[in-house]
Amino acid sequence: MLTKRLLLALVGSLVLAALLVGCGGDQALAVYLEANRQRLDQPLDPLAEPVEFTVAPGTPAKAIAQNLQQAGLIEDALLFEAYVRVNGLANRLEAGTYRLSAAMTPIEIAAALQNAQAPSVPVRVREGWRLEEIADHLSRTGVVDGNAYRSLAANPSREALGFDLSRYTFLQFLPAGASLEGFLYPDTYLLPAEGAIPSDLIQRQFDELEARVMPLYWEAVAQGRTTMELRDVLTLASIVEREAVVDEERPIIAGVFLNRLAQGMRLEADPTVQYALGYQPDTGRWWKSPLSAADLQVDSPYNTYRYGGLPPGPIASPGLASIRAVLEPAQHDYLFFVAMPDGSGRHVFSRTFEEHLEAVQRYRQGR
């Protein structure tokens, strides 16, 4: 049987051959790029570790793309070639030895290959991590001082950040004295292999938040699809991020929470309690699971079992899918959901409390 990678290569070649019949090579690549553009933001393996990748002098873009695919760093060599050629980057790919990872997107890999003189390493910030988890990860990798990052992100100031903040429109929604929780966009970032400082990463996270999230937010506001301020959107999206496992359920879960808010019901979201409880020394984790009945009574403004409305701020870094889910929620009348016990990550949604109790009894008993 053909592997997925070989199948993609075969399909890509056939598509390009068909396109070449009606247009020139560069135009065909442009058509292929446009049809597959969303895949440029998708890493092949989010859990992959960095590996060395060498570009020999004089290697053409097509061969570099094929070598990247053979090395397991990208999924589609043709798409990578189309991206660099259409964007005028083919002649900017430099010879040298790089530290690359399949956790990087094709766009990030293309950017890295344009700077052989400045060795860099990828740092993956995962969706759903709270600020402290990002800091812990940085400490483990040793690329950036995790404690310094945590301190700066928890107490940011223009002077401490040390870079130009004027271009970030989202900062108008960050209250004075608030931490950057929820504004630390999760993605894979290239940082200097030596001498990286916390603001290097935060600036890159700000750049991505501004570029990826703000166009969606301003469009939703202009079209009347949301009246929420950005920080509230990020707060709800962070809860969705921690609740959802299956991507197609994110808009449904967002819709449940928005329905509850509209009816004046408490959110009663477990992740907000987990956030309030903080680090668990006995397990070495930040998100306690399962929660006890006593946990649900913890007196914290983040405990949405005790306090109505949204918590005071985000509880983690939401990804684009969860943010989009809040801005484009599913339209339904569900008010409850419970996780299925089969390990699929899926939920059963209910409209009434009676239906919900029945679902809880059925699924938590594994029937």
Side-chain angles (χ1 to χ4, degrees):
M1 292 182 64
L2 290 174
T3 65
K4 181 179 180 182
R5 192 177 302 167
L6 288 174
L7 184 59
L8 278 170
L10 177 59
V11 171
S13 298
L14 291 174
V15 169
L16 186 59
L19 290 171
L20 285 169
V21 174
C23 54
D26 288 345
Q27 186 178 353
L29 287 172
V31 172
Y32 188 72
L33 174 63
E34 189 59 34
N36 295 275
R37 185 173 294 277
Q38 65 179 10
R39 292 168 51 208
L40 291 170
D41 288 320
Q42 300 171 359
L44 179 58
D45 181 2
L47 301 179
E49 297 296 326
V51 298
E52 284 194 354
F53 179 81
T54 300
V55 177
T59 306
K62 182 175 182 178
I64 293 174
Q66 292 171 341
N67 292 340
L68 287 169
Q69 182 172 312
Q70 291 173 2
L73 291 166
I74 61 173
E75 187 175 52
D76 187 343
L78 180 60
L79 179 59
F80 184 89
E81 181 189 359
Y83 172 74
V84 297
R85 288 196 182 281
V86 171
N87 289 281
L89 305 176
N91 294 326
R92 299 183 188 178
L93 304 182
E94 300 181 2
T97 298
Y98 301 82
R99 291 282 289 173
L100 303 178
S101 167
M104 300 165 64
T105 68
I107 290 177
E108 292 165 341
I109 290 176
L113 293 178
Q114 297 174 59
N115 198 353
Q117 302 306 313
S120 58
V121 293
V123 174
R124 177 69 172 172
V125 177
R126 302 195 185 283
E127 295 87 348
W129 275 357
R130 57 191 286 162
L131 188 162
E132 295 90 347
E133 288 179 287
I134 302 175
D136 289 347
H137 177 66
L138 294 175
S139 294
R140 288 192 297 270
T141 63
V143 178
V144 173
D145 185 330
N147 289 330
Y149 177 92
R150 178 175 177 173
S151 178
L152 180 59
N155 300 283
S157 68
R158 183 179 298 273
E159 295 74 20
L161 290 170
F163 56 87
D164 181 18
L165 302 179
S166 62
R167 66 181 182 274
Y168 303 117
T169 63
F170 62 80
L171 287 178
Q172 64 187 283
F173 301 103
L174 184 67
S179 81
L180 297 178
E181 188 78 88
F183 288 79
L184 301 167
Y185 190 80
D187 205 341
T188 299
Y189 296 95
L190 291 175
L191 296 178
E194 297 182 3
I197 58 177
S199 60
D200 290 334
L201 176 55
I202 292 176
Q203 182 173 8
R204 287 163 172 78
Q205 291 177 300
F206 276 16
D207 287 343
E208 290 301 300
L209 183 65
E210 184 68 36
R212 299 194 185 198
V213 176
M214 296 314 293
L216 295 178
Y217 175 71
W218 293 128
E219 180 183 28
V221 170
Q223 294 179 354
R225 288 188 283 108
T226 187
T227 58
M228 300 172 69
E229 291 201 351
L230 177 71
R231 192 162 185 257
D232 291 338
V233 170
L234 295 176
T235 297
L236 186 53
S238 69
I239 299 173
V240 172
E241 188 68 57
R242 293 300 310 180
E243 290 278 16
V245 177
V246 181
D247 278 345
E248 56 262 33
E249 287 191 355
R250 294 181 195 276
I252 305 175
I253 291 174
V256 169
F257 288 134
L258 288 167
N259 286 347
R260 293 180 70 91
L261 288 172
Q263 295 193 23
M265 300 173 65
R266 289 191 292 269
L267 293 182
E268 297 185 351
D270 287 2
T272 64
V273 178
Q274 294 170 320
Y275 185 79
L277 292 174
Y279 186 72
Q280 302 297 302
D282 55 332
T283 62
R285 297 180 181 276
W286 284 97
W287 304 91
K288 182 180 180 182
S289 182
L291 293 172
S292 67
D295 292 332
L296 301 183
Q297 297 303 313
V298 63
D299 190 8
S300 165
Y302 283 91
N303 183 354
T304 56
Y305 278 86
R306 293 193 63 172
Y307 295 93
L310 291 170
I315 62 171
S317 292
L320 194 61
S322 293
I323 296 170
R324 189 187 297 274
V326 173
L327 296 174
E328 302 174 7
Q331 301 300 312
H332 55 65
D333 54 358
Y334 295 131
L335 292 170
F336 307 91
F337 60 88
V338 62
M340 297 182 69
D342 58 3
S344 67
R346 294 185 177 276
H347 296 81
V348 174
F349 298 88
S350 303
R351 294 175 174 83
T352 68
F353 185 60
E354 290 73 22
E355 290 177 357
H356 177 61
L357 287 179
E358 182 180 341
V360 168
Q361 183 178 16
R362 181 187 313 124
Y363 290 105
R364 287 189 176 169
Q365 291 180 357
R367 295 204 303 268

